[in-house]
Each structure stands twice: as structure tokens, then as C-alpha cells.
Amino acid sequence: MVEDFQSGVFVSTHRYKYLVNKLKRVSKRALWVLTEHLKVGEFEPLRHELFFGEDSNSEVPPIIIELPNGEEIKIEGIIDRVDILNDGEKSYLKVIDYKSGNREFSLSDAYYGLQIQLIVYMDAVLSNTDKLVKNEAYPAGAFYFKIDDPIVNTDEDDAKAIEEKIHGELKMNGLVLNDIKVIKALDNELSKALDEEDDKSKKSNVIPVTLKKDGSPNSHSTVYDEKDFKNIMIHVRGLIKDIATEILRGKIKIEPCKNGKQTPCEYCDFHSICQFDASFDDNGYRVLKKIKDEEILEKIDQENKE
């Protein structure tokens, strides 16, 4: 497409030619890693760019949320990729969202409504499994995959060792079902590593999971039970309901979130319009307290019961 794109703009200057080479390099690296992920796993791609919404070309309907005033909110979107593992009576589904930036999944951010994309995608898939699979379906995981060609610092001369480090840099991050069978199906290398007779933990270069020597995920692994997945999806639907209700009520208060020392104002291009200033009486941050995953899961479980 390069020579024909917008009257050959990509071959018009050395700067654009350099950009094209960079795009090719990054794309090749991403495709190589994605291919390796499929090789070491048992999941197979089911859909690419799966659109859920009201459009006639949509394979899956939108997520519909009824508001207290009787109106409805319809959530639409495009899921980059959905993979499947068929296990006889059950199917396990994995959603992947490709990102060019450093997006790390945080359950705390999802709890506050700052990072709900992966949860919404998983909800859209699991709410319409009858349109995608023939048998009963369960969540396997929801992940961000970074499109990049990282530079790694290493003293290694061995090409395989360098490849391992690159894989580690491009490992997916997100939510994983806390089921050892599914975890091993996402990364068969973990099974091989467990068969080795040593006392070391086994770290995956595909998913955010490290197995202890007894075969269970360690505390740094972002694994969640099936009940947790359901509770998180219910919580996010509640967040969307609250946000939509506030929008319809006309809430436009200037209230940027403050997470530790980080605020969105640092990178915002619209400060001259918003003119937020914490020294003004009516201007204040929405301060977010960092919460541990265990606490969040307990809070969400209690909320859903109530």
C-alpha cells in the first residue's frame, strides 16, 4: 500500500521512508510474537475485528443497559481478536486488544471506571456465546498486547536467550482465569517447565502468570476465579449505568482523577479550555485510593449481593 497511499506520501521524503521501515519492523516483530504465542498454546483464533453493535453487519448485538429513568444505553465496539479453546463440552474464550502504548491492566483502575475496555469486551462475548460457539462458554482471559519492537539490554550472545527477553517485553497483560488447565493451554511451555526437577518458579513469557514449584500461580499473577470475572463484569455494568445517568442529568463538573501523584492534566491538550485550578473553591481532584485486588474483589462481591 505504501507507494499508492495518499499519492505516494510515504515515499516522498527520507523522513517518511524511515517511518515506513519502522512500521515494517514493528509489524514483523508483532506478528512473530503473536505467531509464537499461538504455537505454544492450544487456543485458536475464532474472530478478528469482531464488531458488537446495532449495525446490520454486526455479528453480536450491543450491550444494553437500562437506566433508572427507563432509557437505555447501548454499548458498541470492535474487539481486535477472540480466540477459542474447545474442551469437549465447554469452550473457553480469550479476548485480545492490540495497543501501541504501554497500557497495563489494573483492577483498581477498572474498579474506579478508568479502565473498563477489556471487561466490556469480555462481557460482550460472554453475553452472546450462542452466536459464536455451539457449547457452553467460559472466560479464559482478556489481554492487552503491545505492538512494538523493543530494545533489550543484555550481555547474552545466545540468540535464543535474547529472543526470550524480547518475548518477556511483549508479554500480554490483563486477566487470566484461575484454572491450571486453561493456564497451561495458554502457554504449554509452563507444563514443560513444571516437569523439570528444580525448585524454581516458572514464569510465562505469554501471559501474566508465574507458577510456584507446587504448580499454583504466585501472588503476582493476575488470575481470577470464574465468579470474580462475573462480579467484575456486573460491577462495570453498574459503573456504565451510573456514568450514563450523570451524563443525562447534565453533570459537567471539572473533577480530574488523581491517582497517587499522577493526574491526566499532565498530558492534557485542553487545559486552556477547562482551566482547572485546584486553588479555586469549586475545582478539586477526585482522589483515588490504590486498593489491593483482594479488597476490590471482596467489595465487588458484597456490592453485588446487596
Side-chain angles (χ1 to χ4, degrees), residues 208-263:
V209 171
T210 298
L211 297 182
K212 296 183 289 188
K213 59 183 180 181
D214 65 359
S216 62
N218 72 0
S219 59
H220 297 292
S221 303
T222 55
V223 294
Y224 304 93
D225 295 333
E226 185 189 343
K227 178 185 174 183
D228 297 331
F229 269 89
K230 289 179 179 177
N231 281 341
I232 293 167
M233 287 187 286
I234 292 170
H235 176 74
V236 166
R237 282 192 177 229
L239 287 173
I240 295 171
K241 185 176 181 178
D242 292 342
I243 292 167
T245 301
E246 289 181 354
I247 290 172
L248 292 176
R249 285 175 179 168
K251 181 179 177 181
I252 56 171
K253 187 177 181 182
I254 303 170
E255 196 178 35
C257 294
K258 189 171 186 178
N259 199 344
K261 294 182 179 180
Q262 187 180 10
T263 73

Side-chain angles (χ1 to χ4, degrees), residues 37 94-97 99 102-108 110 115 117-119 122 139-146 170-178 183 186 206-210 219-225 229 232 293:
H37 284 185
K94 170 180 70 172
V95 301
I96 299 175
D97 185 52
K99 290 292 181 190
N102 290 314
R103 173 56 67 93
E104 292 285 331
F105 178 77
S106 163
L107 186 60
S108 182
Q115 196 183 129
Q117 187 179 17
L118 286 180
I119 312 299
M122 182 57 76
F143 304 99
Y144 291 123
F145 175 79
K146 186 182 179 184
L170 295 177
K171 175 168 64 176
M172 297 189 294
N173 75 88
L175 306 89
V176 187
L177 183 68
N178 191 8
I183 290 170
L186 288 164
V206 178
I207 54 175
V209 171
T210 298
S219 59
H220 297 292
S221 303
T222 55
V223 294
Y224 304 93
D225 295 333
F229 269 89
I232 293 167
D293 284 9

Side-chain angles (χ1 to χ4, degrees), residues 274-285:
C274 143
Q275 296 188 18
F276 173 81
D277 188 337
S279 62
F280 293 164
D281 286 342
D282 198 36
N283 284 196
Y285 288 108

Side-chain angles (χ1 to χ4, degrees), residues 2 6 46 49 62 64 130 147 185 194 213 218:
V2 169
Q6 292 196 0
L46 177 68
E49 295 192 345
I64 299 175
D130 58 312
I147 305 289
L194 286 173
K213 59 183 180 181
N218 72 0

